[in-house]
C-alpha cells in the first residue's frame, strides 16, 4: 500500500461533495453509496489522506446531515489522520460556487488540491504524482487530465505550443477543430491559493442552469498570462465519476479487481477472481486460499494458511492462522482462533470467540458464545449466550435455551464436559467440569463436576399397542 510519509506544508485538500446526484435516484446522498465496502467519500478521503495534506475540507450540500455524520463517524474507521473540516454549501449552483464558499478554509493554506466527491477510483500514487508534477511546473494551477477514445460530453483541453493549458472547451462550445481533441478535463485541480483568490469571486453564472463553473477560474488565470499545467492520468479509470447505479457497479468491479490483484501479489491464492468479492478494508495473510463465491467484507482480518469457501460470507471478523471455513458458512463480527474449523453450513453470529482448534460443523449456529480450545459443536446445534470450556463435546441437536420470553440467560459448561445428543440446556444453568449429560435430557438445574445428569422420562414399552391392522 502506498503511503506518502512527508507532510506537505501549506497544502490542503478540498473535496466537493455537495451535489444532488439526481441520476442515482436515491434518498441517500451519492457520496454515501458504497463501493467495495466503503462509501464513495471514504475512498476519496483515504487517497487524499495518504498524500499527507495539512488538512482536508469536505463541503456537503444535499442531505448534508447524513453526509456530515458519515464522514465524522467513518474517518477513524477509514484510517484518516489529517484534520477533516466539514462545512455546508449554502447554494448548490456548481463547482465554482462550492469553491467560493470553501475559500475561508482554503485561504488558510498556500496550495489546494480540489477533488470531486464522486471519484472512488482515485489512488494515493496518482494524487502524489499530480502534486509533484504541479510543484515542478512553476504553474499557478494544474489540471488532472486523461486521454479517452470518445471525448463526447467532456470538456476538451486546449494547449499552447509549450504544453500549457489555454482553455477548457465544453462539449456545447466545440468547433470542428476542438471536437477532435481527445484530452479531457477530469474536474480535479491544484491551485496556488493566491492565484485562485484573484479570480474565484469573478466567476459568473453560465449555462441553462445558471451555475458557476470552476473551469472559468482556469480561463481567467490563463487570460491573465499565468501558466496552467496539464497533468495526464496514466489511465482514465482513475478519474471515472459515479453518476448512476450502473457507473457505481462499474466502479465497484474495478475496485474489487484492484484489491484481488493486491492480495494475489502478496501471496494469497484466489481460485476464481471473477467470482470472489473482497472489500477494500480486508486483510489476508500469505498462503491463504479463497474459493469462488466467497464474500469477505468490512474490516475482516484473516491470517496465514487459511482455507476460505466456497460460497462463504465473512464480515468484520478476525481469523487466526490455519483456520478453515467450509462450504456456505456465514461469520459475523467474531474472533476465530488458530486452527479452528467451521462448516459446512455453519452460522457464527456476532460476539462469538473460538479458541484454538475448536470445531463448529454442519448446520450449527453460535451467538455470543465462547468456545474453548479443542471443543466441538459439530452437528445441528444452537449455542447462544454460552461459555464453553476446553475439550467439550456438544452432541448433535443440542440447544441452549437462552431466552425465556423476557430476557437472555447464560449457559456455562466447564472443561471436558460431554453433552449427549438432543439435549436442552435451559439457562441460566452451569455444568461443571468433567460432567456428562445423557442424550435426550432437558437440564434445568446445575450439574456438579464429574457427575452424570439424566433428565428424561423413563421409557415405557406397551407391547401390541400399535399392532398392524389388516
Amino acid at each position: 500500500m502506498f503511503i506518502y510519509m512527508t507532510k506537505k506544508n501549506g497544502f490542503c485538500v478540498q473535496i466537493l461533495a455537495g451535489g444532488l446526484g439526481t441520476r442515482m435516484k436515491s434518498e441517500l446522498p451519492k457520496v454515501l453509496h458504497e463501493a467495495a465496502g466503503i462509501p464513495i467519500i471514504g475512498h476519496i478521503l483515504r487517497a487524499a489522506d495518504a498524500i499527507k495534506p495539512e488538512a482536508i475540507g469536505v463541503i456537503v450540500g444535499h442531505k448534508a446531515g447524513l453526509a456530515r455524520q458519515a464522514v465524522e463517524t467513518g474517518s477513524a474507521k477509514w484510517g484518516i489522520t489529517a484534520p477533516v473540516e466539514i462545512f455546508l454549501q449554502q447554494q448548490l449552483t456548481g463547482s465554482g460556487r462550492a469553491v467560493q464558499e470553501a475559500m475561508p478554509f482554503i485561504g488558510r493554506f498556500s496550495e489546494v488540491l480540489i477533488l470531486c466527491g464522486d471519484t472512488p477510483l482515485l489512488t494515493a500514487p496518482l494524487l502524489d504524482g499530480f502534486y509533484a508534477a504541479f510543484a515542478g511546473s512553476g504553474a499557478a494551477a494544474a489540471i488532472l487530465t486523461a486521454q479517452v477514445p470518445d471525448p463526447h460530453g467532456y470538456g476538451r483541453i486546449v494547449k499552447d505550443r509549450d504544453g500549457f493549458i489555454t482553455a477548457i472547451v465544453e462539449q456545447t462550445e466545440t468547433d470542428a477543430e476542438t471536437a477532435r481533441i481527445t484530452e479531457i478535463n477530469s474536474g480535479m485541480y491544484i491551485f496556488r491559493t493566491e492565484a485562485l483568490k484573484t479570480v474565484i469571486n469573478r466567476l459568473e453564472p453560465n449555462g441553462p442552469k445558471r451555475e458557476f463553473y470552476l473551469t472559468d477560474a482556469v480561463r481567467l488565470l490563463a487570460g491573465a498570462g499565468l501558466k496552467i499545467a496539464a497533468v495526464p492520468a496514466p489511465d482514465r479509470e482513475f478519474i471515472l465519476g459515479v453518476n448512476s447505479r450502473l457507473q457505481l457497479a462499474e466502479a465497484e468491479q474495478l475496485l474489487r479487481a484492484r484489491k484481488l490483484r493486491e492480495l494475489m501479489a502478496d501471496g494469497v491464492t484466489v481460485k476464481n477472481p471473477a467470482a470472489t468479492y473482497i472489500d477494500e478494508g480486508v486483510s489476508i495473510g500469505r498462503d491463504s486460499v479463497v474459493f469462488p463465491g466467497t464474500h469477505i467484507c468490512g474490516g475482516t482480518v484473516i491470517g496465514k494458511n487459511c482455507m476460505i469457501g466456497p460460497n462463504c460470507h465473512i464480515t468484520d471478523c478476525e481469523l487466526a492462522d490455519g483456520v478453515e471455513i467450509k462450504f456456505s458458512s456465514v461469520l459475523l463480527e467474531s474472533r476465530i482462533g488458530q486452527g479452528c474449523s467451521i462448516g459446512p453450513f455453519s452460522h457464527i453470529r456476532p460476539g462469538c470467540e473460538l479458541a484454538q482448534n475448536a470445531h463448529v460443523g454442519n448446520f450449527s449456529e453460535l451467538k455470543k458464545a465462547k468456545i474453548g480450545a479443542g471443543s466441538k459443536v459439530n452437528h445441528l446445534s444452537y449455542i447462544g449466550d454460552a461459555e464453553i470450556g476446553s475439550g467439550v463435546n456438544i452432541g448433535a441437536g443440542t440447544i441452549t435455551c437462552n431466552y425465556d420470553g423476557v430476557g437472555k440467560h447464560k449457559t456455562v459448561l466447564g472443561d471436558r464436559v460431554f453433552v449427549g445428543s438432543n439435549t436442552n440446556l435451559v439457562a441460566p444453568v452451569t455444568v461443571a467440569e468433567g460432567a456428562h449429560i445423557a442424550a435426550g435430557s432437558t437440564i434445568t438445574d446445575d450439574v456438579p463436576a464429574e457427575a452424570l445428569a439424566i433428565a428424561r422420562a423413563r421409557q415405557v414399552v406397551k407391547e401390541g399397542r400399535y399392532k398392524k391392522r389388516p
Side-chain angles (χ1 to χ4, degrees):
M1 180 180 177
F2 173 90
I3 300 177
Y4 193 96
M5 298 303 296
T6 305
K7 186 179 288 295
K8 298 177 173 68
N9 294 323
F11 173 74
C12 72
V13 175
Q14 176 62 56
I15 301 173
L16 308 183
L20 293 172
T22 52
R23 281 187 280 169
M24 295 295 289
K25 294 182 170 58
S26 176
E27 296 299 316
L28 192 68
K30 177 170 65 173
V31 298
L32 300 190
H33 284 266
E34 287 195 355
I38 299 175
I40 292 171
I41 188 66
H43 287 284
I44 300 166
L45 280 165
R46 282 161 57 111
D49 185 70
I51 64 170
K52 300 298 179 184
E54 287 199 20
I56 302 173
V58 181
I59 189 162
V60 297
H62 177 58
K63 298 290 183 72
L66 288 176
R68 177 186 292 274
Q69 182 181 21
V71 172
E72 288 176 343
T73 58
S75 289
K77 187 196 317 184
W78 304 326
I80 309 305
T81 58
V84 178
E85 299 184 30
I86 308 167
F87 37 93
L88 177 66
Q89 184 176 348
Q90 301 292 338
Q91 297 180 35
L92 301 178
T93 51
S95 58
R97 181 61 189 175
V99 173
Q100 286 177 342
E101 295 191 22
M103 285 308 294
F105 167 77
I106 294 170
R108 296 173 5 219
F109 305 92
S110 57
E111 299 165 337
V112 58
L113 166 62
I114 296 175
L115 300 177
C116 304
D118 61 358
T119 50
L121 292 157
L122 291 174
T123 66
L126 173 74
L127 295 183
D128 187 59
F130 183 27
Y131 179 83
F134 161 74
S137 70
I143 301 175
L144 188 64
T145 68
Q147 292 285 348
V148 297
D150 179 9
H152 185 82
Y154 292 96
R156 312 305 208 280
I157 299 296
V158 180
K159 300 178 181 177
D160 62 19
R161 275 185 279 178
D162 296 321
F164 290 102
I165 297 172
T166 58
I168 301 171
V169 180
E170 299 301 331
Q171 176 67 39
T172 56
E173 300 170 351
T174 57
D175 55 23
E177 183 178 356
T178 55
R180 289 194 295 269
I181 295 172
T182 56
E183 187 174 9
I184 64 164
N185 175 25
S186 72
M188 287 171 270
Y189 311 82
I190 300 177
F191 289 95
R192 299 195 191 280
T193 304
E194 288 306 313
L196 182 62
K197 285 179 179 178
T198 64
V199 296
I200 193 65
N201 291 322
R202 292 166 55 193
L203 303 185
E204 296 180 352
N206 285 309
K209 295 182 180 179
R210 307 301 293 164
E211 292 185 326
F212 296 83
Y213 297 111
L214 197 53
T215 51
D216 287 341
V218 174
R219 176 180 56 80
L220 290 168
L221 289 174
L226 297 175
K227 292 179 179 179
I228 312 296
V231 180
D235 191 300
R236 67 181 297 263
E237 167 187 310
F238 294 101
I239 66 167
L240 290 177
V242 171
N243 292 297
S244 67
R245 305 285 182 149
L246 176 60
Q247 290 175 342
L248 179 64
E250 291 169 345
E252 179 159 42
Q253 187 175 25
L254 290 167
L255 286 165
R256 291 196 186 282
R258 282 183 190 172
K259 180 65 178 181
L260 292 172
R261 287 196 298 269
E262 174 189 311
L263 289 170
M264 289 186 284
D266 287 341
V268 177
T269 295
V270 180
K271 290 291 189 179
N272 184 355
T276 303
Y277 309 89
I278 299 179
D279 281 356
E280 189 78 14
V282 170
S283 172
I284 304 179
R286 183 172 295 181
D287 291 321
S288 288
V289 179
V290 183
F291 287 88
T294 294
H295 296 245
I296 306 177
C297 307
T300 295
V301 177
I302 297 175
K304 297 181 290 186
N305 298 298
C306 293
M307 303 285 284
I308 311 295
N311 299 327
C312 291
H313 197 294
I314 303 172
T315 300
D316 290 326
C317 291
E318 294 181 25
L319 278 60
D321 296 344
V323 169
E324 183 176 9
I325 310 298
K326 299 177 183 178
F327 188 84
S328 292
S329 294
V330 176
L331 287 73
L332 306 169
E333 299 173 25
S334 295
R335 299 174 63 185
I336 312 301
Q338 183 174 347
C340 287
S341 173
I342 295 174
F345 297 102
S346 295
H347 187 185
I348 310 300
R349 291 167 57 190
C352 292
E353 296 183 21
L354 277 63
Q356 64 183 17
N357 298 319
H359 292 254
V360 178
N362 304 267
F363 299 100
S364 291
E365 179 180 1
L366 271 58
K367 173 255 180 186
K368 280 189 180 178
K370 293 184 178 181
I371 309 297
S375 292
K376 299 177 181 178
V377 188
N378 271 336
H379 317 284
L380 301 159
S381 295
Y382 169 71
I383 306 297
D385 297 290
E387 187 173 319
I388 311 299
S390 60
V392 173
N393 188 85
I394 305 291
T398 295
I399 304 295
T400 56
C401 307
N402 56 327
Y403 183 52
D404 62 6
V406 178
K408 299 290 180 73
H409 302 283
K410 190 173 183 178
T411 296
V412 178
L413 304 184
D415 296 343
R416 297 177 291 102
V417 165
F418 178 90
V419 179
S421 299
N422 197 31
T423 292
N424 300 311
L425 299 163
V426 183
V429 68
T430 297
V431 179
E433 64 182 54
H436 275 50
I437 308 297
S441 294
T442 296
I443 302 299
T444 58
D445 298 319
D446 293 349
V447 179
E450 310 295 338
L452 169 64
I454 306 171
R456 61 193 182 207
R458 184 178 296 276
Q459 180 173 323
V460 176
V461 177
K462 297 186 178 181
E463 294 185 10
R465 179 71 176 269
Y466 288 99
K467 187 175 180 180
K468 200 172 201 179
R469 294 188 177 89

